[in-house]
Amino acid sequence: MRIYLVGGAVRDKLLGRAVTDRDFVVVGATPQIMLERGFKPVGKDFPVFLHPDTGEEYALARTERKTGRGYHGFDFQADPNVTLEQDLERRDLTINAMAEDENGAIIDPFGGQQDLAARRLHHVSPAFAEDPVRVLRLARFAARYAPLGFAESDDTRALMQGMVADGEVDHLVPERVWAETRKALAEPCPSAFLQVLRRCGALAVLFPEIDALYGVPQRAEFHPEIDTGVHQEMVLDAAAQLAAGDDLVAFCALTHDLGKALTPADVLPRHIGHEQAGIAPLRALCARLKVPSEHAALAEHVCRDHLNAHRAFELKPATVLRLLERLDALRRPARLDTFLAACEADKRGRLGHQDDAYPQADYLRQARVAAAGVTAQPFVEQGLRGPAIGQAMQGAREQAIAELKASLTRAPASDA
């Protein structure tokens, strides 16, 4: 029985990155041997065990054989005769197919170290094409490691293009698409996720609403990058800078402009009413991928109201209050923070505007505090009852926002 550290822990150790999770492969063992040594079984499809002291995962070395379409179409075999190299060969990328023995020696049968040095995401074997989830995983790794210069190899891109053409990507289940997407949105460079998927053709299959944004022009005076798809990528990366690791902010940023793909050609490059037009495709995307309700709800708020946030200083106090109420921000201030982070990312996600200030955010937060400071008690003490209390509170909140606005130096008018 031999135990090896494998996968991401080896990869990140060689990259000089912090290792957060460690996985192990056990060669020459059986489930019975693992149980006798106190390991706790957790695997359903193949034998995976938890270490009795550390809780880390130890999987028996295994091989796999394609038996059908999609992610679940595999037959796994784990027995003491499976070698380490056979186990590593079934993995997705060479940089994930390395192991380290108990003495710290690296076992690298597929050139993972060479690809690390070349900053190359390359498949281990043609078997990569048997599992469509690997397309998403590679795109997610690109989102993580793009700042280090990593990109998919030409051969691997061609392989993924073939997977898309063969319809293999069509068999991805919504839950797995969302799980990988959510992780990618929390990475440092989520635009790379879109770029990889687009280069192989998978973006049009999995996210047609987003793919449709590419090639759609915008007004150059507001969007020097012009292309809406390029703007989308820039907004995503701005969100990653403003709210690192926050996939909720990133999802709101990802979907805020879907309506621009629906703008009639004779109206371009203007996008009148794109906020409302984006609601239908956003809802379709969320329903198809079974996006969590809070992600879907806040993304809809950002889609509908991001222009109102940009022109916050131009809004009447009553309109500001309605915006805060739609967000339920008086009771849930964290929702406002998420909304504003996505809106600020939209403002900064433009060529030459990456470092723009966004004073609208501070104003709207102060407006929330001013409005939330109005309570019912004074009006009850005045003898008001029922609906009259609510009406009085509404007026007082609008007045509080008006007084706040008057006390602030007016910011320059914003763009669309």
Side-chain angles (χ1 to χ4, degrees):
M1 175 175 165
R2 298 174 303 282
I3 297 174
Y4 300 90
L5 180 69
V6 295
V10 179
R11 176 198 67 226
D12 286 344
K13 185 176 180 180
L14 291 173
L15 283 172
R17 293 168 61 94
V19 174
T20 54
D21 295 311
R22 303 197 309 163
D23 295 314
F24 298 84
V25 158
V26 184
V27 176
T30 64
Q32 185 60 36
I33 291 174
M34 300 297 285
L35 293 174
E36 289 173 355
R37 298 196 178 192
F39 285 80
K40 301 175 183 179
V42 294
K44 295 181 180 179
D45 297 322
F46 42 81
V48 178
F49 300 84
L50 298 182
H51 192 283
D53 298 324
T54 67
E56 294 174 320
E57 285 193 1
Y58 287 67
L60 297 188
R62 64 185 186 270
T63 59
E64 61 187 34
R65 181 173 60 88
K66 182 75 169 175
T67 59
R69 287 281 200 173
Y71 169 64
H72 295 292
F74 290 91
D75 178 43
F76 297 94
Q77 180 180 357
D79 65 55
N81 296 318
V82 175
T83 67
L84 175 63
E85 184 169 332
Q86 286 175 316
D87 181 274
L88 295 176
E89 187 176 14
R90 68 176 176 77
R91 295 173 184 266
D92 51 6
L93 302 175
T94 59
I95 64 171
N96 297 330
M98 296 179 286
E100 180 183 289
D101 68 16
E102 59 185 7
N103 298 316
I106 301 297
I107 297 93
D108 180 17
F110 304 105
Q113 293 177 94
Q114 182 179 350
D115 286 336
L116 281 180
R119 299 302 194 244
R120 182 167 51 224
L121 301 173
H122 187 72
H123 58 283
V124 172
S125 75
F128 179 101
E130 296 177 352
D131 184 357
V133 172
R134 289 175 170 176
V135 173
L136 288 166
R137 277 176 54 83
L138 187 149
R140 173 163 62 84
F141 283 123
R144 179 182 302 173
Y145 296 119
L148 299 180
F150 278 83
E152 78 276 24
S153 69
D154 293 342
D155 290 347
T156 300
R157 183 186 308 126
L159 194 63
M160 294 193 296
Q161 289 169 341
M163 295 169 70
V164 174
D166 291 343
E168 188 69 30
V169 171
D170 297 338
H171 294 272
L172 283 167
V173 297
E175 292 84 356
R176 196 57 193 268
V177 174
W178 171 248
E180 293 295 329
T181 300
R182 187 172 190 173
K183 292 175 184 177
L185 292 175
E187 297 290 2
C189 187
S191 65
F193 179 74
L194 299 185
Q195 292 165 0
V196 168
L197 294 180
R198 187 164 180 255
R199 284 194 290 263
C200 73
L203 191 66
V205 176
L206 301 174
F207 302 97
E209 300 88 353
I210 296 168
D211 186 70
L213 294 172
Y214 288 90
V216 177
Q218 303 167 105
R219 294 172 64 182
E221 65 267 36
F222 297 146
H223 289 275
E225 71 283 356
I226 299 178
D227 189 296
T228 306
V230 173
H231 168 61
Q232 180 60 74
E233 294 177 4
M234 296 178 73
V235 173
L236 264 184
D237 289 346
Q241 291 292 319
L242 290 165
D246 193 327
D247 61 87
L248 177 54
V249 171
F251 182 70
C252 292
L254 175 68
T255 55
H256 79 285
D257 261 353
L258 296 184
K260 288 184 176 179
L262 304 177
T263 301
D266 61 342
V267 178
L268 295 173
R270 303 180 69 195
H271 292 278
I272 301 169
H274 74 274
E275 319 94 282
Q276 189 61 42
I279 299 300
L282 170 59
R283 288 177 177 173
L285 185 154
C286 290
R288 187 176 67 253
L289 297 186
K290 301 181 180 179
V291 173
S293 58
E294 184 66 358
H295 282 65
L298 269 170
E300 191 164 318
H301 283 300
V302 174
C303 182
R304 180 183 289 111
D305 278 319
H306 63 276
L307 292 192
N308 280 330
H310 295 340
R311 54 182 174 239
F313 292 107
E314 304 159 31
L315 301 179
K316 296 178 180 179
T319 306
V320 171
L321 180 59
R322 286 196 297 271
L323 171 60
L324 296 172
E325 289 173 339
R326 282 196 297 274
L327 284 165
D328 197 18
L330 300 188
R331 294 191 312 118
R332 302 165 66 185
R335 272 187 143 218
L336 179 62
D337 290 335
T338 298
F339 171 80
L340 291 174
C343 293
E344 184 171 353
D346 176 38
K347 184 61 165 39
R348 292 190 179 187
R350 309 169 192 220
L351 194 63
H353 292 270
Q354 293 88 335
D355 298 319
D356 280 6
Y358 197 67
Q360 297 93 323
D362 285 339
Y363 170 55
L364 288 172
R365 288 192 185 95
Q366 291 179 59
R368 191 211 72 81
V369 172
V374 176
T375 65
Q377 187 61 34
F379 303 107
V380 172
E381 293 173 354
Q382 292 175 21
L384 298 182
R385 297 290 181 270
I389 297 175
Q391 293 171 3
M393 289 180 65
Q394 196 83 358
R397 284 172 171 167
E398 291 177 14
Q399 181 60 32
I401 294 172
E403 292 173 358
L404 168 67
K405 184 177 180 180
S407 70
L408 299 175
T409 302
R410 185 177 179 85
S414 60
D415 50 44

